[in-house]
Amino acid sequence: MAFKAKSASETKAADLAAALVRIADRGSAPLLIGVDELRKGNPRLTPLAIGQMFRKHHDILEAALAERGYALGGYVDQGPGLGMAFEIDAA
């Protein structure tokens, strides 16, 4: 099987998934994870990037969470400055 390099957006989606898993491992599911908490672990994850990665690479996020026994319960984006949050449930 040939090696396929990841695009920059796929790499950032993997970073987002890793941050979600790290936070979920510290807490107990179900749990809500906000943008501020994600940015503490990885400052590259801006609100704009988080929203784009969720819409564009939803499958990468779900696969990474499923590997660790979590499921993406929901995603809320209330608009600029109003907040966004991921709901993580146990699988």
Side-chain angles (χ1 to χ4, degrees), residues 18-39:
L20 287 169
V21 167
R22 251 190 330 272
I23 294 167
D25 283 345
R26 284 188 303 209
S28 62
L31 109 122
L32 278 173
I33 301 172
V35 142
D36 294 333
E37 195 169 1
L38 288 168
R39 293 204 63 194

Side-chain angles (χ1 to χ4, degrees), residues 55-71:
R55 287 185 288 284
K56 190 172 182 179
H57 297 293
H58 190 72
D59 55 334
I60 292 173
L61 299 176
E62 287 187 335
L65 289 167
E67 278 181 21
R68 296 298 293 259
Y70 301 111

Side-chain angles (χ1 to χ4, degrees), residues 5-89:
K6 286 185 178 180
S7 69
S9 68
E10 288 172 323
T11 301
K12 196 171 270 192
D15 290 346
L16 172 59
L20 287 169
V21 167
R22 251 190 330 272
I23 294 167
D25 283 345
R26 284 188 303 209
S28 62
L31 109 122
L32 278 173
I33 301 172
V35 142
D36 294 333
E37 195 169 1
L38 288 168
R39 293 204 63 194
K40 285 179 188 174
N42 188 341
R44 287 183 32 190
L45 295 173
T46 64
L48 178 62
I50 291 169
Q52 288 176 341
M53 294 310 101
F54 176 78
R55 287 185 288 284
K56 190 172 182 179
H57 297 293
H58 190 72
D59 55 334
I60 292 173
L61 299 176
E62 287 187 335
L65 289 167
E67 278 181 21
R68 296 298 293 259
Y70 301 111
L72 185 60
Y75 170 73
V76 177
D77 187 352
Q78 299 173 358
L82 299 176
M84 54 179 64
F86 289 89
E87 181 182 343
I88 306 297
D89 297 323

